[in-house]
Amino acid sequence: MTTGSPDYWEEWGRAVPALRCSLHVETPHEDPSTAAVRLADAALADQYAVYEQEGVWHFAAGSAVSLTADATRVTARADGRTWTAEASARPLEVFAAALDSLRDAGHTDRRFYGWSVFELAHILHGDPAAGGTGPLLHALVPCVEVSLTPGRAEIRAVDEAWARKAGELLAESTASAARRATTGVAPDRAEQLISGSTAAYGEAVARTVADIRAGLLEKAVLSRAVPLPAVPVADFAATYLAGRRANTPARSFLIDLGGRRAAGFSPETVLEVRQDGRVSTQPLAGTRALGTDPAENSRRREELLTDPKEIHEHAVSVRLACDEMEAVCRPGSVVVEEFMAVRPRGSVQHLASRVTGRLRDGTGPWAAFASLFPAITATGSRKRDALSTLARYEEGPRGLYGGAVFRGGTDGSLDAALVLRTLLGVGDTTWLRAGAGVTGQSVPAREIEETCEKLRSVAPHLRYTER
């Protein structure tokens, strides 16, 4: 048996516990996002994920079963045991083979939750040496999963104890389950965080524009990080609730998973794969601020729809999304179902398109993920050249920023949210990050302002708690 082959993972798949219990709970007085955060706050396990998908909030917890991949190996855990396989510079393929073993072991209805960092892009499309040495992908196969809609919760668990505990927490009144006290960020402090220290970013934009005009690449999505102070401590759950109420995301998520924390309001998906093989991606490129004045918002919308730089940036993204879809879809099935609509996303409005297709026979969701990841709207084009540019001009690795948080299943479905507009954390370090699409027509001052506009989707909603 070859290490890392599908057969190698059979034993791991059989060690994963089946879902044996289900329970329905009425939650008439609590909205789904608040209920999901209460479950996250309850510390049911050392890892959890909340993932909002098309009007349903999904909560998952229990780290007895997990899967982690770096550039050289994939490690799986279940039933107190560990399996390790060499990745041979193809960690995503081995990672996917391990997840497929769940279906082969009879887990036809299991879900998994996880993330992939941006540096996986270097393994898939660029210089593997730039991928770093840390984990690239991590997934949790939960012991308990709760799907929340207005007034109702569906609980699925590996045993009665997990199901009963989740049910009891949901049945508690909101008043008796009060959260710890938190404080918000002052408006002037939020603006200081957003607009401070942008000189280096402006210089990086100027160098990127020069490279584009020299023909080295077509577009790069250059980003800058905003570090947050260690004290007071950022409260991810409270930030998620406050930010979700102020945003209009395509997906939202709250995770403490595999050593990484995130509270995000994703403006777009990297890809959506249905059980029947329909796959779609939603590139957003082209940005203007979105405020409280309807007349000004309308003026900016018209400006967005007629700005040559924004239209060019968006058209390039859609064209490349089509190319990447055609690499994994049936001939003739790739279509642009929506082109250059304007979508509100919190503090900004974007040009948005949707590209769809049908996966080729024998092609699974992870092959589509490999083709589309990272989202062209977080990278640039040509993708390999853009990755090289980002490695030169951005400070340090991106980590989850520009990567993905995903929810998938053994039925072949996979839904991956692009990690933008997100509070990020590893250990005691927390930060925000935002980027802008740089083309040959870019002006550094405008790209700096665009990052500020995007940061306003998160920074004003930061919440803190004393350690």
Side-chain angles (χ1 to χ4, degrees):
M1 184 181 303
T2 303
T3 299
S5 68
D7 291 343
Y8 175 82
W9 298 109
E10 283 184 0
E11 188 179 25
W12 176 69
R14 290 194 298 270
V16 173
L19 293 174
R20 297 184 175 89
C21 298
S22 62
L23 182 67
H24 290 85
V25 177
E26 299 298 320
T27 57
H29 305 299
E30 192 169 41
D31 69 84
S33 62
T34 303
V37 168
R38 283 215 290 122
L39 290 169
D41 266 348
L44 286 171
D46 60 344
Q47 297 190 74
Y48 69 78
V50 173
Y51 192 85
E52 177 195 0
Q53 180 181 355
E54 298 177 340
V56 182
W57 272 258
H58 302 279
F59 168 80
S63 58
V65 183
S66 65
L67 192 65
T68 305
D70 60 27
T72 61
R73 67 183 59 83
V74 177
T75 302
R77 294 180 175 84
D79 194 28
R81 303 165 60 193
T82 301
W83 291 258
T84 301
E86 295 303 313
S88 302
R90 45 188 189 88
L92 183 58
E93 292 181 30
V94 181
F95 186 84
L99 288 172
D100 286 345
S101 72
L102 296 174
R103 180 194 63 241
D104 298 337
H107 299 284
T108 57
D109 60 349
R110 290 309 299 269
R111 295 287 166 182
F112 51 83
Y113 296 75
W115 49 254
S116 58
V117 297
F118 182 82
E119 283 63 44
L120 176 63
H122 295 290
I123 306 293
L124 296 173
H125 308 292
D127 177 10
T133 58
L136 299 169
L137 298 123
H138 180 80
L140 165 75
V141 184
C143 294
V144 61
E145 182 181 26
V146 184
S147 297
L148 296 144
T149 52
R152 188 172 176 81
E154 179 184 353
I155 303 170
R156 302 166 73 225
V158 297
D159 58 35
E160 289 186 8
W162 277 103
R164 184 172 60 252
K165 182 59 177 175
E168 290 171 352
L169 288 168
L170 288 170
E172 291 180 4
S173 70
T174 305
S176 66
R179 296 196 76 253
R180 58 193 171 274
T182 61
T183 58
V185 62
D188 58 343
R189 177 55 180 154
E191 281 301 311
Q192 289 174 3
L193 289 170
I194 288 167
S195 58
S197 188
T198 58
Y201 181 75
E203 293 171 3
V205 170
R207 290 194 294 269
T208 302
V209 170
D211 287 350
I212 292 170
R213 291 176 178 174
L216 299 182
L217 72 161
E218 193 170 8
K219 169 189 171 182
V221 182
L222 204 64
S223 68
R224 64 181 180 95
V226 177
L228 300 179
V231 179
V233 179
D235 187 313
F236 279 72
T239 297
Y240 173 77
L241 282 178
R244 179 60 187 86
R245 288 164 185 157
N247 276 276
T248 49
R251 300 289 187 270
S252 73
F253 48 83
L254 172 67
I255 64 169
D256 188 342
L257 199 61
R260 293 185 178 271
R261 291 170 294 151
F265 320 103
S266 175
E268 63 185 279
T269 54
V270 179
L271 84 166
E272 302 160 44
V273 183
R274 295 194 319 207
Q275 183 179 359
D276 62 5
R278 183 184 186 272
V279 59
S280 70
T281 188
Q282 185 188 34
L284 272 66
T287 306
R288 284 294 184 275
L290 185 66
T292 57
D293 183 343
E296 180 62 12
N297 288 338
S298 180
R299 185 194 68 76
R300 289 170 177 163
R301 182 181 187 277
E302 292 307 311
E303 182 181 90
L304 178 60
L305 286 166
T306 56
D307 186 294
K309 183 263 181 185
E310 306 289 5
I311 293 171
H312 174 258
E313 179 186 349
H314 187 81
V316 167
S317 299
V318 174
R319 185 196 72 208
L320 289 169
C322 288
D323 291 344
E324 292 173 348
M325 290 276 283
E326 287 172 352
V328 293
C329 289
R330 299 174 189 172
S333 70
V334 175
V335 297
V336 180
E337 288 192 351
E338 179 182 58
F339 184 66
M340 263 180 49
V342 177
R343 291 280 178 264
R345 292 291 186 256
S347 60
V348 294
Q349 49 191 326
H350 289 297
L351 294 178
S353 295
R354 181 170 291 279
V355 183
T356 66
R358 291 278 174 178
L359 291 178
R360 298 175 189 267
D361 292 342
T363 300
W366 290 107
F369 185 86
S371 184
L372 289 161
F373 182 87
I376 198 71
T377 51
T379 312
S381 62
R382 300 166 298 263
K383 193 172 275 188
R384 183 183 181 90
D385 298 329
L387 288 169
S388 177
T389 298
L390 300 181
R392 287 198 305 274
Y393 298 145
E394 290 188 344
E395 294 184 10
R398 285 185 169 187
L400 270 186
Y401 177 83
V405 170
F406 55 79
R407 177 178 184 263
T410 53
D411 59 0
S413 61
L414 180 63
D415 194 275
L418 175 59
V419 180
L420 303 176
R421 321 294 147 77
T422 297
L423 170 64
L424 300 157
V426 175
D428 293 331
T429 304
T430 55
W431 67 97
L432 306 175
R433 195 166 188 130
V438 179
T439 71
Q441 301 163 295
S442 289
V443 176
R446 170 57 201 153
E447 305 307 350
I448 290 171
E449 179 57 28
E450 182 171 320
T451 64
C452 293
E453 292 167 356
K454 292 171 178 176
L455 287 165
R456 292 187 185 104
S457 289
V458 184
H461 315 298
L462 291 172
R463 296 293 183 270
Y464 298 105
T465 184
E466 293 301 324
R467 189 179 297 279

